Amino acid sequence: MEDLVIRDAEVVDGTGTPSYRADVVVDGGRIVSIVKEAAAAGCQRPSAVRELDAEGLVLSPGFIDMHAHSDLALLRDPDHSAKAAQGVTLEVIGQDGLSYAPVDDRTLAEVRRAITGWNGSGDDIDFDWRSVGEYLDRLDGGIAVNAAYLIPQGTVRALAVGWEDREATPAELDRMRRLVAEGLEQGAVGMSSGLTYTPGMYAKDAELTELCRVVASYGGYYCPHHRSYGAGALEAYAEMVALAREAGCALHLAHATMNFGVNEGRAPELLALLDEALAAGADISLDTYPYTPGSTTLAALLPSWASEGGPDAVLARLADAATAERIRHDLEVTGSDGCHGVPVEWDTIEISGVGDPALAGWVGRRVDGWPAARRLLLEDRLATSILQHVGHEENVRAIMRHRVHTGGSDGILQGAKPHPRAYGTFPHYLGHYVRELGVLSLEECVAHLTSRPAARLRLPDRGVVREGHRADLVLFDPATVAAGSTYDRPRALPTGIPYVLVDGRFVIEDGRRTDVLAGRSVRRTPV
């Protein structure tokens, strides 16, 4: 007898087509039978060891978070309700060009310090891996939800070149090509970049194109956090489109927003640029989160010249009064490339987390000018995370409607007051933008969150409720599903999502996290 039958569910299958009522049978981690309109047809209904009455609930594929920062959270927090409770069954990590594989001892120590604000110091983690394959093997020990990995181009550059602002030598470029190829062979699904973060931002387009050629040869995709989301944003998007087309590589634009005052109302220009490229045959997709503020580290706002050489060099520059004044001028007058070419508006910067508990009083406060920012950067040794209130609602809505759009939380789980997107992105789409505003239909929205990302990841048996597919599933109440998280209570869990299954096993049951660790690494499908 099969493991489970879910009775009388309203199936929104992820394809974007109209929903239907059905009994869905799960066995051995897969969907083995779908009986449509079983009750109305009067036919013999399927049975199983366990029967779940889904009357009033929607059954959909599990949601795929195309931009996650759970690289260490998956290891340190077996519960991981931040994502499991949202109905997320797969996260794509290794984002923004900085993560923890491939590394050597030196690079690992440098990267840990550079992205403490994203993932914590890692003092609670046994870093017993160095290669991509070893990291994925570690995930295979059992995690809350599945995870796919992008090779972080900035980490690769740190390993092969260092943290200097210079062109790679031919030998260094060859080593980077080998590192990217090895990571893809070991299971990575593509490569990410953080082109406003050091050291990845020091790579010129020719270097990135060579690495993308390697990615393309393995059937992977390139996922850049491009060089600007503010002044010059459209030019930065166009640069990535041209680069990917030159390399013959699929392109997925990370958190594809149009932020800052210079871009208010300009989403249609971005979408026209993408439509033109798509019409010409480009392979492009994108992800966004359904909120207006961004989230990063305070140190990320610094100009690239001030970040050259790694964390110790940054702290030395901040400690020197003359150099700190030069940094201030770039931030407040010129427009730092770290702040997307826009002069920083300090009243938009809210402290969301600190590394040093003694500085906890900063959390929730807006930054009162450069002297305060400089002091905090020095005292917290660059570990401070922030919210940046610079987005525009009309841009958010326009981009989420696009046919190549997918959902990505960009959720930073660190800090006392993280961005609510970390805990609320997917129910916020369903509750606010579907039910309350009607920006998307339910069927459209589910397709954006399931089958579209599965297609980008080249996963032939995920993202759709279909016989033979993996039973990564979510059951939610369309009348009540909502993000519990807010800016004041960012870790509040969603409502209206009583059941989530990973590999046919309940990770959320009756609205509560079980102790099941059914997640594993999801590795690149060979070409």
Side-chain angles (χ1 to χ4, degrees), residues 420-486:
R421 69 193 187 193
Y423 285 73
T425 284
F426 295 87
H428 197 50
Y429 269 120
L430 296 168
H432 186 58
Y433 286 96
V434 172
R435 184 181 63 246
E436 296 175 1
L437 298 180
V439 173
L440 294 167
S441 71
L442 181 58
E443 288 86 353
E444 288 174 321
C445 186
V446 168
H448 287 219
L449 307 181
T450 59
S451 64
R452 287 187 188 175
R456 168 52 71 218
L457 295 167
R458 298 179 60 244
L459 303 176
D461 59 354
R462 299 178 194 264
V464 177
V465 178
R466 182 174 293 161
E467 292 179 359
H469 278 219
R470 291 185 177 272
D472 292 348
L473 302 168
V474 58
L475 284 148
F476 62 90
D477 182 346
T480 63
V481 63
S485 59
T486 64

Side-chain angles (χ1 to χ4, degrees), residues 215-271:
V215 174
S217 72
Y218 284 88
Y221 70 94
Y222 181 42
C223 180
H225 164 126
H226 50 277
R227 298 191 194 275
S228 176
Y229 290 83
L234 288 173
E235 292 81 0
Y237 280 112
E239 175 192 10
M240 293 298 101
V241 170
L243 186 155
R245 296 196 69 187
E246 172 68 20
C249 188
L251 176 66
H252 181 84
L253 296 166
H255 37 61
T257 57
M258 291 289 286
N259 285 340
F260 302 92
V262 295
N263 290 318
E264 185 172 2
R266 298 188 70 189
E269 297 176 58
L270 167 62
L271 301 180

Side-chain angles (χ1 to χ4, degrees), residues 345-479:
E345 298 176 30
W346 292 113
D347 62 354
T348 68
I349 307 299
E350 178 184 358
I351 304 302
S352 60
V354 293
D356 183 350
L359 300 170
W362 281 93
V363 174
R365 290 170 53 184
R366 301 290 175 119
V367 175
D368 184 21
W370 169 242
R374 178 191 177 198
R375 184 168 72 252
L376 185 54
L377 286 163
L378 285 166
E379 293 179 2
D380 205 26
R381 299 189 64 78
L382 311 181
T384 308
S385 55
I386 62 171
L387 300 183
Q388 196 168 13
H389 297 269
V390 293
H392 305 286
E393 178 66 19
E394 70 275 20
N395 287 347
V396 170
R397 296 188 193 186
I399 294 169
M400 74 170 63
R401 293 188 185 101
H402 197 270
R403 66 186 185 279
V404 300
H405 169 267
T406 68
S409 71
D410 197 14
I412 294 174
L413 301 170
Q414 289 298 119
K417 196 173 184 285
H419 196 304
R421 69 193 187 193
Y423 285 73
T425 284
F426 295 87
H428 197 50
Y429 269 120
L430 296 168
H432 186 58
Y433 286 96
V434 172
R435 184 181 63 246
E436 296 175 1
L437 298 180
V439 173
L440 294 167
S441 71
L442 181 58
E443 288 86 353
E444 288 174 321
C445 186
V446 168
H448 287 219
L449 307 181
T450 59
S451 64
R452 287 187 188 175
R456 168 52 71 218
L457 295 167
R458 298 179 60 244
L459 303 176
D461 59 354
R462 299 178 194 264
V464 177
V465 178
R466 182 174 293 161
E467 292 179 359
H469 278 219
R470 291 185 177 272
D472 292 348
L473 302 168
V474 58
L475 284 148
F476 62 90
D477 182 346

Side-chain angles (χ1 to χ4, degrees), residues 22 81 248 296 299 303 377 437 457 465 495 508 513 527:
S81 287
T296 186
L377 286 163
L437 298 180
L457 295 167
V465 178
T495 57
I508 300 292
R513 178 73 172 93
V527 177

Side-chain angles (χ1 to χ4, degrees), residues 43-55:
C43 60
Q44 183 174 354
R45 305 187 71 176
S47 59
V49 173
R50 176 174 178 180
E51 298 184 2
L52 176 62
D53 181 4
E55 181 71 37

Side-chain angles (χ1 to χ4, degrees), residues 42-195:
C43 60
Q44 183 174 354
R45 305 187 71 176
S47 59
V49 173
R50 176 174 178 180
E51 298 184 2
L52 176 62
D53 181 4
E55 181 71 37
L57 298 178
V58 165
L59 174 67
S60 82
F63 306 133
I64 298 176
D65 188 344
M66 286 296 286
H67 194 104
H69 287 284
S70 302
D71 307 47
L72 299 185
L74 283 162
L75 299 175
R76 75 158 56 92
D77 177 21
D79 181 84
H80 202 48
S81 287
K83 296 302 177 67
Q86 292 187 59
V88 171
T89 58
L90 170 60
E91 300 184 89
V92 185
I93 56 179
Q95 299 285 352
D96 294 331
L98 288 167
S99 189
Y100 306 95
V103 292
D104 57 14
D105 291 350
R106 170 190 63 82
T107 308
L108 175 61
E110 293 167 343
V111 168
R112 284 178 61 183
R113 290 188 63 191
I115 53 175
T116 293
W118 293 356
N119 298 313
S121 67
D123 291 342
D124 53 346
I125 301 294
D126 179 10
F127 289 91
D128 59 353
W129 68 85
R130 292 297 180 268
S131 71
V132 170
E134 290 167 346
Y135 174 65
L136 297 180
D137 289 344
R138 177 72 178 274
L139 298 179
D140 284 341
I143 49 180
V145 302
N146 298 308
Y149 189 72
L150 293 167
I151 300 164
Q153 170 259 329
T155 299
V156 167
R157 196 172 212 273
L159 183 55
V161 180
W163 296 72
E164 292 77 37
D165 183 2
R166 63 173 176 83
E167 291 190 30
T169 67
E172 289 166 343
L173 182 56
D174 281 343
R175 187 181 182 199
M176 285 190 280
R177 288 193 193 98
R178 290 195 301 272
L179 289 166
V180 171
E182 289 168 2
L184 290 159
E185 289 169 357
Q186 293 164 12
V189 296
M191 182 180 76
S192 74
S193 283
L195 300 179

